Amino acid sequence: MRAEAQNTVAEIEKSLELLGQRLGVETAQFRLEEFNARVEDPNLWDDPEAAQKLMRDRQSLVDAIDTYEGIKQDLADNIELIELGEMEEDEEVISDAEAALKALAVKSAQKELEALLDGEADSNDTFLEINSGAGGTESCDWASMLARMYVRWAEKKGYKVELNAESAGEEAGIKSATYKITGHNAYGWLKSESGVHRLVRISPFDSAAKRHTSFTSVKVYPVVDDNIEIEVNPSDIRIDTYRSSGAGGQHVNTTDSAVRITHHPTGIVVTSSEKSQHQNRDIAMKALKSRLYQMELDKRSALVNEVHESAGDAGWGNQIRSYVLQPYQMVKDLRTNYETSDTKGVLDGDLDGLMGATLALNVSGKSRSEAKG
């Protein structure tokens, strides 16, 4: 087998190993038999909610088994074809099998990433909150660049993006923005982005063309679906209406319909500035419940997201990722040491590599310091 094909086979085998670990391949068939036995219980649908959950869990297991076994079989079939082609010196058979292996490597890598998204709320939609930090106009411009990056990423995924609230910067960019991103595993993907993002570049706002450092914080919260009960005591919140500020245009409303909800016990503040005050109350309440749910997830989790461990201002000491545009081109995640020189691609929304590395790190259970080592 040619060296390139051997490397492709090794990549696929590595993905299969992780898929097998996430599936629990040794016990998967036994667990499926248990599910099948429970499905046949005549009293199953006495509790429709529990029955629906059981059916969803069973289907997830079936899909995971089929994916693992399918990739494993396709790998074996193509290795056999290559060996047969080499024995018969049939270059066409070898080339076709090598091309099939490359396609299988892409598929297995994607399934490997998807297998990491099995947290309690990973499949949910998500709220994405962006706030400019230290650096004034520079940070406001950086916040708008990050907003564009995430919108581009979401659009490439086929997700729906809604701008819930936005506050424009005094000279350029945005002070803050909140998006709702809707799509399967939206939260699971984006949760790794919570933290402070640092930009180093030659400032377009500096006539002396000096290098500037800017910070912007990103926070991600799962949208709480109807199956998750989050109680909010009316006496714990204050609801204010106000005139939305911003540059105007289709995204920013300038009537008095904007809504701000303050949750006194936690100090959480959420806003929404769509056209309808009733709609804004509903959006803001959902955002508050999502924030409270995220806090509960963090309490339960043994691997608390680092942005919540080191909650603080968007500035030095809290950053998770650096984007350096001058004097060289490099994006580096400080948690995983994953880096790429394709800064343009990243800022245009090519984030799966960075996200995938962090998801894999979270699964491995290593801390930031261990990852650096």
Side-chain angles (χ1 to χ4, degrees):
M1 188 182 298
R2 290 186 280 234
E4 184 178 359
Q6 289 178 338
N7 291 336
T8 304
V9 168
E11 290 176 13
I12 297 169
E13 288 176 339
K14 184 178 178 182
S15 294
L16 271 174
E17 183 180 359
L18 184 139
L19 287 171
Q21 290 173 357
R22 303 301 288 169
L23 169 61
V25 65
E26 297 85 0
T27 62
Q29 288 297 335
F30 176 74
R31 284 181 282 127
L32 181 58
E33 290 172 8
E34 284 187 330
F35 273 127
N36 291 338
R38 293 169 65 188
V39 166
E40 294 173 3
D41 184 346
N43 299 319
L44 173 67
W45 290 96
D46 290 349
D47 185 344
E49 196 170 302
Q52 288 172 0
K53 183 179 185 305
L54 174 65
M55 297 302 288
R56 286 196 302 268
D57 290 345
R58 178 189 177 279
Q59 189 58 50
S60 293
L61 179 59
V62 169
D63 292 344
I65 292 172
D66 288 348
T67 295
Y68 177 81
E69 294 296 343
I71 292 174
K72 186 178 179 181
Q73 187 61 54
D74 287 347
L75 176 61
D77 289 346
N78 282 293
I79 290 174
E80 185 177 347
L81 277 174
I82 289 175
E83 292 173 347
L84 182 63
E86 288 174 342
M87 288 176 57
E88 298 181 356
E89 297 183 352
D90 190 330
E91 184 60 34
E92 184 177 354
V93 169
I94 295 172
S95 296
D96 287 348
E98 287 177 343
L101 279 177
K102 289 180 181 178
L104 185 61
V106 173
K107 175 184 176 181
S108 60
Q110 182 62 34
K111 293 299 181 182
E112 177 184 339
L113 283 178
E114 290 176 3
L116 298 175
L117 303 174
D118 64 352
E120 182 175 351
D122 281 354
S123 63
N124 289 31
D125 304 332
T126 191
F127 289 110
L128 173 71
E129 185 180 296
I130 299 171
N131 291 283
S132 62
T137 299
E138 280 289 327
S139 288
C140 287
D141 191 52
W142 174 220
S144 68
M145 292 169 65
L146 280 176
R148 174 185 176 276
M149 179 181 79
Y150 288 120
V151 168
R152 288 287 184 92
W153 172 84
E155 289 173 346
K156 289 178 181 179
K157 287 286 186 185
Y159 292 160
K160 178 183 177 183
V161 181
E162 301 171 73
L163 179 61
N164 288 161
E166 183 181 84
S167 176
E170 293 178 4
E171 296 181 35
I174 58 173
K175 292 180 180 177
S176 64
T178 302
Y179 294 88
K180 180 183 178 184
I181 299 177
T182 303
H184 183 61
N185 285 333
Y187 172 69
W189 280 108
L190 280 167
K191 67 182 180 182
S192 65
E193 297 301 293
S194 281
V196 175
H197 298 245
R198 170 178 172 254
L199 173 69
V200 180
R201 65 170 176 174
I202 299 296
S203 171
F205 307 102
D206 187 343
S207 58
K210 292 183 178 180
R211 196 161 68 238
H212 284 247
T213 299
S214 310
F215 300 93
T216 289
S217 72
V218 173
K219 296 181 181 180
V220 179
Y221 310 100
V223 174
V224 180
D225 59 33
D226 293 337
N227 295 323
I228 300 172
E229 292 293 331
I230 299 293
E231 294 293 333
V232 178
N233 190 331
S235 64
D236 288 341
I237 62 175
R238 185 180 76 246
I239 301 177
D240 300 307
T241 59
Y242 64 100
R243 181 177 294 273
S244 175
S245 64
Q250 63 177 345
H251 292 311
V252 182
N253 180 32
T254 56
T255 70
D256 289 325
S257 65
V259 169
R260 178 190 296 113
I261 297 179
T262 304
H263 186 251
H264 297 299
T266 62
I268 292 173
V269 178
V270 292
T271 61
S272 179
S273 53
E274 293 295 307
K275 294 179 180 179
S276 159
Q277 188 174 121
H278 176 75
Q279 181 184 21
N280 285 331
R281 284 174 178 261
D282 183 56
I283 291 172
M285 186 57 72
K286 286 181 178 178
L288 173 60
K289 288 183 177 182
S290 294
R291 295 278 293 269
L292 294 172
Y293 181 55
Q294 179 67 55
M295 291 177 67
E296 180 59 28
L297 286 179
D298 288 347
K299 289 177 184 177
R300 297 182 205 171
S301 176
L303 286 170
V304 179
N305 191 299
E306 286 201 48
V307 67
H308 301 288
E309 288 182 332
S310 57
D313 293 335
W316 290 102
N318 298 318
Q319 63 264 29
I320 61 165
R321 189 178 299 151
S322 290
Y323 305 70
V324 180
L325 306 185
Q326 290 287 344
Y328 54 88
Q329 303 274 312
M330 182 66 68
V331 177
K332 181 173 183 177
D333 195 288
L334 305 179
R335 299 162 296 182
T336 63
N337 282 337
Y338 182 101
E339 60 184 40
T340 174
S341 59
D342 184 16
T343 55
K344 183 179 185 302
V346 169
L347 293 174
D348 278 339
D350 294 337
L351 298 170
D352 283 2
L354 288 156
M355 291 177 175
T358 307
L359 287 169
L361 175 66
N362 287 343
V363 169
S364 74
K366 293 181 180 179
S367 68
R368 177 187 285 194
S369 60
E370 290 171 328
K372 286 182 177 180

